[in-house]
Every structure is written in structure tokens, then in C-alpha cells.
Amino acid sequence: MARQDKRENIVLSAMTLIAEHGFHGASMSMIAEKAGVGIGTIYRYFESRDALIRTMYKEKEDRLVTLLLADYPIERPVRECFFHIGTGVIDYFIHNPLDFRYTEQFHNSPYGVEHRRNRIFASADKPDIFIDLYERGTAQQVIRDMPMVVFFNLAFAPIIWTIRDHVLGFLNLDALLSRKLVESCWDSVKI
Amino acid sequence: MARQDKRENIVLSAMTLIAEHGFHGASMSMIAEKAGVGIGTIYRYFESRDALIRTMYKEKEDRLVTLLLADYPIERPVRECFFHIGTGVIDYFIHNPLDFRYTEQFHNSPYGVEHRRNRIFASADKPDIFIDLYERGTAQQVIRDMPMVVFFNLAFAPIIWTIRDHVLGFLNLDALLSRKLVESCWDSVKI
DNA sequence: GTAAACAGAATGAACGTTCATTCCTATTGA
DNA sequence: TCAATAGGAATGAACGTTCATTCTGTTTAC
């Protein structure tokens, strides 16, 4: 097995196990077995279990952001950017349910609290399309007056929860319903 | 220590530890030590760790539902009932942050998926103010046409996420902001 | 030939649970 | 009134298991 394949196998196995059974249903030996490598091999690619978990998250997050930025209509109205992000997030996660479930596991764990804290309090240093959206919306008075965190929650919490229900098989989030959902979210933040 | 106090100490210790450090930061020995009882004593009150976790959740959920039902304006318009539930949930959790964090841990775990599945698929048997709200709203055409699960997500996901941010100290969810938040949620589901 | 890559047995810490023992309190008998 | 007794509540050391990580001998690639 080639070196790159080996790393990918490890990541895919870890992602699958954690996505389906949580962090505690994915021991290093289970990950190794599923990946078809020895336990020790994992430690040649990742310093520790912790590093594996964080690196995988970082890679997935970067991938989503890159995708969203690829055709981001930065010059267009706030509303259009809002829809771009909303439908983009849904599209990405519907087609990558494993990524979604892994991301959820990550967010709903001590890792997530730490990640969120950094996101909220130490975000001024690098550009961020979400923050840009909030600031432009506020400046142009197209979105209501509320803290950024609340805007973010109104905009994305229903989307994330509904993707979760789709991924778990509780409903079918098709294109029509996606549009309705994002529209509803927009209606909750627009003036 | 009286028998009832002992049980309460165990529940409070378990709640606190799980709320603050997750299920895995709350071993039976830690719970016992914090409660000032022997490990074995816990097993006199709860059949297993699993039973302890489920019983505590059930008790907290029942308490919230009882509180919401106490002065529920069942005869009033859907919109008013919606606000009653929304602000009621916020009030309860703001004043019981430990309950909130415990409930969050529970929902974001395999217990939560199971709980959600039961809630969605096996709910017709007993009356539920949330379902009642959706059905009345749909029948009277005051809320948009969408699956119940999506309605539920639009209505409560931003509220839950914002309570979380308040409890974690990321913002201050006061009375004014609460009202704004619930109004925004209503705007996302109303016709 | 040799150095890097690899596999999986070994290790020790931590876990939930058990159970033989101790402790406490209510009841009995005189 | 009070010692003796009984019964169940309480205890925590011990058990078996599981885990992340390390160690060691083997294989691979050049």
C-alpha cells in the first residue's frame, strides 16, 4: 500500500468510525483494523489520537471553506451571499454525510467548545466570509440589529439541525426544501 | 446524611460533572467522591451508570414540560403559544444552566439520537404541546408549509444555540434579546 | 547493507461493576 | 432502661475489561 493511500485509509476509517459511533466508539485498534494497518503505523502519521482528531477536523473545515469561496459572489448583495453560503453548506454536507457527522461529533465535544471560543474571541486576525456577511449586513441595514453570534445562530442553527435530521434519515432534504429552509432563515435575520 | 439527601447529592454531583466535563469526565468514582458517598452506594439508587444518566434526563425533561404546561395559553392564538414556549424555554435554562448543559450533553450523544428517533416516529400516542402547535399552525395556515421536523428546527435551534452561547459566557442573553430572538424565530416560520 | 517503515504484542492507567465486609438504627427481651 | 440482636444501608478494595501509547522485532525499499 502506498504511503499516501495509507494515510487516507487511516483518516477514512477514523472518520467513519467516529461519525457512526462517536469518539468513544473509535479506539485506535479499531481504526487500525478498519484501515488495514498496524496500530503503531497510525502514530507514524499522527502524533497522538488528539492530533488525529484535530487534524482531520481542520482538513474538512478547510475543504468546505475553499468550496464556498470558489464561486463566492462577494460583489453581490448581502442576501445573495447569504443564500450562497446557506445552500452551499447544505449541498456540501448532503453529498458528504460522513464529513457532516464527524463535524457534528467534533462540535459537540470539548474540542467544539474550545473551537467556538477561538472563533468568537480571536477572529479579528483573519478574513472570514461569515463575519464579512454580518458586518456588511449591519452596515447596509439589511439585517436586524443583534449580536453577531445571534445572527450566526439564526442563520445556521436550523440548517445544521435539518441536515442532521436528513443524514439520520428523519426527513428528505431535497432542493425545494433546501431553498425553503434557507429562505426561512433569511426571513429571521432580514429587516 | 438522610436517604433523600443522599440521592440528591448523587444526582447533583453527576449532573455537575457531566455538564462541565461531558460523560467521560464523570466516572462513577468521581461522582461518588463529589457526592461524599461510596461508589457502591450509587448502585443502591441506580441500577447502572446508564440508568443514572437516563433517569436524570427524564427528571429534568419532565420538570421543564411541567413548567411550560403550568400556564400554557392553549386557548390563545398559535403565535402566542409559540412565544410562551420560546420564552419559557429560555427562562428555564437561563435560570438552570446546569440542566441546560446536561441536557445538551445528553442530546449530543448516542442517547440523544435514540431519544430523537422515539420523539419523531413514536409520538402519536401521547399529547405534546410542540406537535399541537405545529398542527394548529398548519391547519389555521398561520405557519408555512413544511415538515414538522423543519418547523421544530427553525423554531428552536437558534434558541438552543443562543442559550448555549449565553451559558458558555459568549454573550448576555437578557430579556430584550430573548424577545428579539423568539420574534426572529417566529418570523422564520410564520406565513 | 542499511535505514526507514511497519505490525502488533506489551504496558500501565482508567473504567464500570461487584461483593464481602462494616456500620447504623430499630426492635427485642428482660 | 439498656444490652443484645437483627437487617438492611453503605462502603471501597478488587476484578475484568478496554483504552492510548510505547516497545521491539520484522519487512521493505533503495
Side-chain angles (χ1 to χ4, degrees):
Chain A
M1 199 190 299
R3 190 178 158 81
Q4 196 52 33
D5 289 351
K6 206 159 270 183
R7 188 187 191 277
E8 269 171 31
N9 268 2
I10 292 167
V11 168
L12 186 62
S13 302
M15 284 266 300
T16 307
L17 286 170
I18 293 172
E20 287 175 0
H21 307 111
F23 285 115
H24 310 280
S27 67
M28 296 303 267
S29 60
M30 287 166 76
I31 294 168
E33 193 183 357
K34 195 177 178 73
V37 302
I39 300 170
T41 306
I42 299 176
Y43 288 87
R44 293 205 57 77
Y45 294 87
F46 301 95
E47 198 186 303
S48 63
R49 179 181 161 83
D50 220 60
L52 170 62
I53 289 169
R54 287 180 207 276
T55 305
M56 287 198 304
Y57 179 79
K58 188 86 179 60
E59 286 178 12
K60 295 303 164 186
E61 190 188 37
D62 286 351
R63 198 172 150 218
L64 172 57
V65 169
T66 304
L67 241 88
L68 288 178
L69 279 176
D71 51 353
Y72 189 67
I74 185 74
E75 305 292 347
R76 307 280 305 152
V78 170
R79 186 189 135 94
E80 199 171 323
C81 291
F82 185 95
F83 273 72
H84 180 85
I85 295 177
T87 53
V89 168
I90 294 175
D91 266 8
Y92 177 79
F93 282 131
I94 293 287
H95 292 103
N96 300 276
L98 217 60
D99 286 19
F100 177 76
R101 293 185 68 180
Y102 178 76
T103 304
E104 280 286 276
Q105 294 285 353
F106 188 90
H107 283 150
N108 297 313
S109 74
Y111 296 110
V113 176
E114 181 197 338
H115 180 258
R116 197 165 177 76
R117 192 182 307 272
N118 294 341
R119 199 69 186 282
I120 293 172
F121 290 118
S123 54
D125 51 344
K126 59 173 181 177
D128 185 311
I129 49 172
F130 303 110
I131 295 172
D132 166 71
L133 199 67
Y134 170 74
E135 285 172 353
R136 275 169 56 213
T138 305
Q140 297 173 16
Q141 296 195 13
V142 293
I143 66 166
R144 308 176 193 191
D145 173 41
M146 61 176 94
M148 189 179 73
V149 175
V150 177
F151 165 75
F152 186 83
N153 292 345
L154 283 163
F156 296 110
I159 290 176
I160 298 298
W161 280 29
T162 307
I163 295 171
R164 179 193 59 190
D165 289 333
H166 171 92
V167 168
L168 291 176
F170 295 162
L171 68 83
N172 180 37
L173 182 50
D174 57 19
L176 174 63
L177 188 53
S178 292
R179 192 159 43 73
K180 275 189 177 179
L181 176 59
V182 179
E183 266 170 15
S184 293
C185 289
W186 173 252
D187 287 345
S188 73
V189 296
K190 75 157 191 230
I191 286 202
Chain B
M1 198 189 303
R3 191 178 156 81
Q4 196 53 32
D5 288 351
K6 207 158 271 186
R7 188 187 191 278
E8 269 171 31
N9 268 3
I10 292 168
V11 168
L12 187 62
S13 302
M15 285 266 300
T16 307
L17 285 170
I18 293 172
E20 287 176 1
H21 306 111
F23 285 116
H24 309 280
S27 68
M28 296 303 267
S29 59
M30 286 166 78
I31 294 169
E33 193 183 356
K34 195 179 178 74
V37 302
I39 299 172
T41 307
I42 300 175
Y43 288 87
R44 294 204 56 75
Y45 293 89
F46 301 95
E47 197 187 303
S48 64
R49 180 179 159 84
D50 219 61
L52 169 63
I53 289 168
R54 287 180 206 275
T55 304
M56 289 197 303
Y57 179 79
K58 189 85 178 62
E59 286 177 12
K60 296 302 164 185
E61 190 189 37
D62 286 351
R63 199 171 148 218
L64 172 58
V65 169
T66 304
L67 241 88
L68 287 178
L69 279 176
D71 51 353
Y72 189 67
I74 185 75
E75 305 292 347
R76 307 280 303 153
V78 170
R79 188 189 133 95
E80 198 170 323
C81 290
F82 185 95
F83 273 71
H84 179 86
I85 294 177
T87 54
V89 168
I90 293 176
D91 266 8
Y92 176 79
F93 282 132
I94 293 286
H95 292 103
N96 300 276
L98 216 61
D99 287 20
F100 178 76
R101 294 185 68 179
Y102 178 76
T103 305
E104 280 286 276
Q105 294 285 352
F106 187 90
H107 284 149
N108 297 313
S109 74
Y111 296 111
V113 175
E114 181 196 338
H115 180 258
R116 198 165 176 75
R117 192 181 306 273
N118 293 342
R119 200 66 186 282
I120 293 173
F121 289 119
S123 54
D125 50 344
K126 57 175 182 176
D128 185 310
I129 50 172
F130 303 110
I131 295 172
D132 166 70
L133 198 67
Y134 171 73
E135 285 173 353
R136 274 169 56 215
T138 305
Q140 297 173 16
Q141 295 195 11
V142 293
I143 65 165
R144 307 175 195 194
D145 173 42
M146 60 178 93
M148 189 179 72
V149 175
V150 177
F151 166 74
F152 186 83
N153 292 344
L154 283 163
F156 295 110
I159 289 176
I160 298 297
W161 279 29
T162 306
I163 295 172
R164 180 193 58 190
D165 289 333
H166 172 93
V167 168
L168 291 176
F170 294 163
L171 67 83
N172 179 38
L173 183 49
D174 56 20
L176 175 62
L177 188 54
S178 291
R179 191 157 44 73
K180 276 189 178 179
L181 176 59
V182 179
E183 265 168 17
S184 292
C185 289
W186 173 253
D187 287 345
S188 74
V189 297
K190 75 156 191 234
I191 286 201

